Amino acid sequence: MNVLTTRSHRTQLVITGLSACLVTSALFTAYNAYTKRKRRRSLAEQIRQSLAAGIDAPVVESGVALKDEILTEELFIRTASKGTYDEDLIREQLARNYAFFGEEGMAGVRGGSVVIVGCGGVGSWAAVMLVRSGVSKIRLVDFDYVTLSSLNRHATATLADVGTPKVACIERTLRQISRWVDVDGRIEIWRKEDGGRLLEGANWVVDAIDNITTKVDLLKYCHDRNIRVFSSMGAGAKCDPTRIQISDISYTIYDPLARAVRRRLRSKGVSSGIPVVYSTEVPGDVKLLPLPEEEFEKGNVKELNAFDDFRVRILPVLGPLPSMFGLHIASYIICDLAKKPILNPLPIKNRRKLYERLLRDLLHRESKLLGKQINKLPIDEDDVFLIFEDLQLGRSVVPPHAVPSRPQLIRWDARKALSLENCVVFEFSEAERHARECLSVRRDPREVWGDEVYAIVVRNAARIARYREWVGL
């Protein structure tokens, strides 16, 4: 009985102790919450008094009253950005960048000034990473507003930003990231007639414009005035991140926007000297979404544009791709500002010599097949890349589709002219058999290689037809 009484007494002591701990913890939590609210109210009052003394308060354009805590945060960001910010805190925030670039490099980054023209999916991501990396002066130029469809790719826009300028929502986020950044937001369109004022003082200009006429005007303007400019080509209708490249505009391939920009620039006397980010991916079945028929019945569909020459229809965009384009741009510019420029971007798969050899061997086989020396084929090295990399993924057309140790390009059907559609990849021994059993006797290759290989050739021909339509060939 004494044992039971002792155990019961100990249990009561344990329960009493736990209860006391819980009560004490609750009191401390309540006290901390009270003091926190009191400090926030005090801070809000101090900021309001400072603003009343001469610092402009932010304008709430939507007409919806903000909650006290959100308003306090916005006012604090605005107030802090107008004053000084402790250098030790800046260096702590940029510690990883200082470790990478060193003092001299980061001095260049922090002293850099960048103008971003076009603040959509590409431009917004470039802006965010430039500021996160230490760029202290940035100008944002865009006339457009956030829509619901912007949210799948924009770096800073939220549901609350729908209907507001893209420039404004990026500016807000940049100030939240960096208290010392100088952000100059311009809700306007860049025009060559007076665009110089928007580019003043820029070490770099980022071209992230959708409209090809304005894009070409900006690139031409910068090139003629020795203003360094980095241009984004087409991120729409693409999905393969491994095909994203940085190169000079003159080296771009398989990008319809790059092709059109390159031709227009060449007609204006600009053939090279502009770094770009683009994708070598050949789009699949995606294309511009058609307008409903009733829109055409209402009249001229160009009247639907916000501005003349800007696109009306919607291009399908997979959100991650524009962000990657923006990050490529930011990385390139940051390294340049830090005096560690990316001087020689990796060529496409670094296999140019392979394509040259494949083309040379194909030229030799065609001369032998036609019984005369020919100096030029209807396909070039870029076409070799398309056939070998995109269509056949660097593998033989013959099952089990092994990676050939000595790949060969060869005409598929001797009864048809050599073309993108009529050219396949074989291993050397397979190519020799094909030349002997099909080409030399003009035999139907389907009889030799079977229905499975024939189906692959037909499927690839359909893909090439879509590619021709995409690039306008």
Side-chain angles (χ1 to χ4, degrees):
M1 186 68 178
N2 290 335
V3 174
L4 293 175
T5 303
T6 302
R7 289 181 178 177
S8 177
H9 181 64
R10 289 178 180 176
T11 301
Q12 291 176 1
L13 289 175
V14 170
I15 293 174
T16 302
L18 290 175
S19 300
C21 289
L22 291 174
V23 171
T24 303
S25 176
L27 288 173
F28 271 115
T29 301
Y31 176 75
N32 288 335
Y34 169 76
T35 55
K36 183 177 180 181
R37 285 196 299 270
K38 186 176 179 180
R39 286 197 301 269
R40 291 184 69 89
R41 284 196 295 268
S42 176
L43 176 61
E45 183 60 30
Q46 292 175 19
I47 293 174
R48 290 189 179 95
Q49 290 175 1
S50 298
L51 292 172
I55 301 175
D56 295 334
V59 177
V60 182
E61 297 181 354
S62 64
V64 179
L66 295 174
K67 294 182 179 179
D68 286 344
E69 291 187 1
I70 299 176
L71 179 58
T72 299
E73 181 181 2
E74 293 286 338
L75 294 179
F76 178 75
I77 291 170
R78 285 294 182 93
T79 306
S81 66
K82 291 180 180 291
T84 58
Y85 195 68
D86 189 84
E87 177 66 18
D88 290 338
L89 293 178
I90 295 176
R91 286 176 169 271
E92 177 64 23
Q93 185 167 333
L94 299 175
R96 303 300 177 90
N97 299 73
Y98 271 99
F100 191 90
F101 289 125
E103 289 288 338
E104 184 179 352
M106 282 306 296
V109 174
R110 290 180 61 182
S113 175
V114 180
V115 176
I116 298 180
V117 186
C119 295
V122 175
S124 62
W125 283 97
V128 167
M129 288 313 303
L130 285 168
V131 170
R132 285 190 185 278
S133 301
V135 173
S136 300
K137 189 173 183 179
I138 191 166
R139 179 175 294 140
L140 309 170
V141 182
D142 201 321
F143 67 90
D144 206 2
Y145 286 69
V146 177
T147 64
L148 274 174
S149 65
S150 304
L151 302 186
N152 85 315
R153 60 195 180 279
H154 201 274
T156 65
T158 66
L159 282 170
D161 296 310
V162 173
T164 64
K166 292 179 178 178
V167 164
C169 73
I170 298 176
E171 180 178 353
R172 182 197 66 237
T173 299
L174 296 186
R175 294 187 188 280
Q176 291 172 335
I177 294 170
S178 170
R179 295 289 169 83
W180 66 90
V181 68
D182 178 7
V183 185
D184 180 15
R186 303 292 186 92
I187 307 172
E188 53 186 297
I189 189 171
W190 189 90
R191 297 286 192 188
K192 63 180 179 181
E193 293 78 14
D194 64 344
R197 62 185 174 80
L198 296 175
L199 308 182
E200 290 179 356
N203 298 111
W204 272 97
V205 174
V206 174
D207 158 40
I209 303 172
D210 286 336
N211 175 255
I212 186 171
T213 301
T214 309
K215 178 182 286 287
V216 171
D217 287 343
L218 176 62
L219 297 179
K220 168 69 173 173
Y221 186 97
C222 292
H223 184 272
D224 290 349
R225 292 160 179 79
N226 293 319
I227 301 172
R228 287 183 292 181
V229 59
F230 195 111
S231 183
S232 172
M233 296 293 111
K238 308 289 180 71
C239 67
D240 187 350
T242 67
R243 301 303 180 94
I244 300 174
Q245 302 281 331
I246 290 177
S247 76
D248 188 87
I249 182 70
S250 59
Y251 297 141
T252 55
I253 60 172
Y254 301 133
D255 186 318
L257 179 58
R259 180 170 176 264
V261 170
R262 190 173 63 242
R263 286 184 172 182
R264 293 197 187 192
L265 284 174
R266 191 180 297 121
S267 69
K268 296 176 180 290
V270 180
S271 58
S272 63
I274 299 174
V276 302
V277 58
Y278 77 107
S279 172
T280 62
E281 179 184 357
V282 177
D285 297 327
V286 294
K287 57 185 66 177
L288 282 172
L289 300 181
L291 281 174
E293 189 63 33
E294 54 266 25
E295 295 296 340
F296 289 93
E297 296 174 358
K298 293 176 183 177
N300 186 2
V301 295
K302 290 187 177 181
E303 295 176 356
L304 298 173
N305 287 353
F307 291 92
D308 292 339
D309 300 327
F310 276 75
R311 57 183 170 84
V312 178
R313 295 186 295 167
I314 298 173
L315 184 66
V317 181
L318 185 64
L321 268 293
S323 70
M324 294 177 193
F325 274 51
L327 300 182
H328 275 67
I329 294 172
S331 299
Y332 189 95
I333 291 177
I334 292 163
C335 289
D336 183 83
L337 292 174
K339 298 180 177 60
K340 291 187 177 181
I342 302 172
L343 296 175
N344 187 28
L346 184 69
I348 303 164
K349 290 189 176 290
N350 204 25
R351 289 161 67 150
R352 181 64 64 179
K353 290 185 178 179
L354 171 62
Y355 308 144
E356 291 174 355
R357 183 184 66 76
L358 289 172
L359 191 62
R360 187 170 56 249
D361 290 349
L362 177 60
L363 179 64
H364 175 73
R365 286 186 181 278
E366 284 295 303
S367 296
K368 186 176 180 180
L369 176 65
L370 299 176
K372 61 180 181 179
Q373 181 63 38
I374 57 176
N375 298 317
K376 188 176 181 180
L377 294 171
I379 64 176
D380 57 20
E381 289 179 18
D382 290 345
D383 297 322
V384 171
F385 173 87
L386 173 66
I387 297 169
F388 187 76
E389 304 286 5
D390 280 291
L391 295 182
Q392 297 195 207
L393 305 178
R395 296 175 178 273
S396 169
V397 71
V398 179
H401 310 295
V403 176
S405 59
R406 188 179 173 184
Q408 295 282 296
L409 280 182
I410 191 169
R411 188 191 299 211
W412 169 249
D413 192 337
R415 299 165 297 179
K416 300 177 182 178
L418 179 67
S419 64
L420 288 173
E421 295 88 344
N422 194 34
C423 190
V424 295
V425 177
F426 281 121
E427 173 61 82
F428 180 78
S429 59
E430 297 166 342
E432 290 293 294
R433 177 189 174 191
H434 185 75
R436 184 175 59 253
E437 299 183 18
C438 298
L439 300 185
S440 62
V441 296
R442 305 181 69 81
R443 183 181 177 185
D444 185 351
R446 187 175 186 178
E447 298 176 2
V448 175
W449 301 107
D451 291 339
E452 184 177 353
V453 174
Y454 174 75
I456 294 173
V457 174
V458 171
R459 184 171 66 248
N460 287 344
R463 292 181 61 190
I464 291 172
R466 291 195 297 270
Y467 162 72
R468 290 185 186 278
E469 179 184 359
W470 175 256
V471 300
L473 293 179

